[in-house]
Amino acid sequence: MTGGGSSTNREHARVASSCSRPAASRPRVAGQLDRPVFFVGFMGAGKTSVARRLARTCGVASVDMDTYLERREGKRVKEIFAESGEDGFRDIETDVLRELAAKDPLLVSCGGGVVKRSENRAILHDAGFVVYLKVTADEAKSRISDTSTRPLFQNIESARQTAEERVPLYAEVADITIDTAGKSVAAIAREVQAALEKEGVLCLQRK
């Protein structure tokens, strides 16, 4: 009887030791995407934050499309708008979207207006798996700490109108739609991860 108890105690100690190991010594997760995953939605939906969280959790790469565009062009988005207008910016955006779609599969957080062009919607639909993070203009504004960097939110009525106009376009390209209302970044990321695994887009291996 005593021997059995000791064995049980040793097993409990082994499990406790395993569970209390620091994160660095736990098995690492290596994820693999079978195609690019594009996050679309209105500004403030959490596209970049969710993609980054998912990248860390699943061991895959992520990229913010606007940041990538700015580094490639050597200019800020607002500078491109000022110099070339929206059409000029959208031309560059389409080129960047094609470029990212052709790379090894990544989690790509797209700019809010990427769906405005039919050409972009075709790329999104044909090249990857699209996650639409749904958010209202009012909730989006509440999530942005400094709205001075977001001209659209200087007029909430205009923001609401723009958001509503884009809803059908987001829905058109979406493979899955996730309502982000009242959810944390971690919760949204878990929901996206479950959907990607279910659809066979994301495969996880623990090392």
Side-chain angles (χ1 to χ4, degrees):
M1 180 72 71
T2 302
S6 297
S7 175
T8 300
N9 289 340
R10 285 196 299 272
E11 177 64 15
H12 286 170
R14 184 188 67 77
V15 172
S17 175
S18 173
C19 291
S20 62
R21 284 182 299 176
S25 65
R26 293 176 187 163
R28 291 184 296 109
V29 175
Q32 184 173 349
L33 297 169
D34 79 341
R35 74 199 88 158
V37 176
F38 298 105
F39 290 82
V40 302
F42 197 58
M43 64 180 72
K47 301 183 293 293
T48 299
S49 297
V50 171
R52 286 176 178 167
R53 177 69 177 241
L54 197 59
R56 289 195 301 269
T57 302
C58 299
V60 296
S62 71
V63 62
D64 178 86
M65 190 171 164
D66 281 348
T67 300
Y68 182 92
L69 185 154
E70 288 181 335
R71 288 175 179 170
R72 197 189 81 158
E73 299 300 308
K75 299 176 182 178
R76 302 293 299 273
V77 168
K78 64 181 181 181
E79 293 173 334
I80 298 172
F81 263 87
E83 293 174 7
S84 307
E86 182 172 1
D87 286 343
F89 170 76
R90 296 299 173 195
D91 287 340
I92 298 171
E93 183 180 57
T94 297
D95 190 47
V96 167
L97 182 60
R98 288 190 183 281
E99 190 173 311
L100 293 175
K103 289 181 177 291
D104 288 340
L106 297 160
L107 302 174
V108 182
S109 49
C110 299
V114 72
V115 294
K116 292 180 67 175
R117 279 194 173 182
S118 59
E119 184 178 1
N120 291 352
R121 297 198 299 276
I123 296 170
L124 292 167
H125 181 270
D126 296 339
F129 188 89
V130 182
V131 178
Y132 168 29
L133 299 185
K134 189 175 182 180
V135 68
T136 65
D138 291 273
E139 181 153 359
K141 183 177 181 180
S142 72
R143 296 176 182 178
I144 298 170
S145 56
D146 182 10
T147 57
S148 66
T149 62
R150 308 289 185 114
L152 189 58
F153 284 113
Q154 303 313 301
N155 183 329
I156 189 60
E157 288 300 329
S158 176
R160 289 170 183 154
Q161 181 179 344
T162 300
E164 285 302 313
E165 288 172 351
R166 291 180 183 174
V167 166
L169 304 179
Y170 293 135
E172 178 185 327
V173 299
D175 289 294
I176 60 168
T177 299
I178 294 177
D179 192 338
T180 66
K183 298 175 183 175
S184 67
V185 168
I188 299 167
R190 286 194 297 269
E191 199 169 338
V192 173
Q193 180 181 335
L196 295 180
E197 290 188 77
K198 180 180 178 181
E199 295 292 334
V201 177
L202 172 66
C203 177
L204 296 182
Q205 292 182 337
R206 286 169 175 79
K207 296 182 178 181

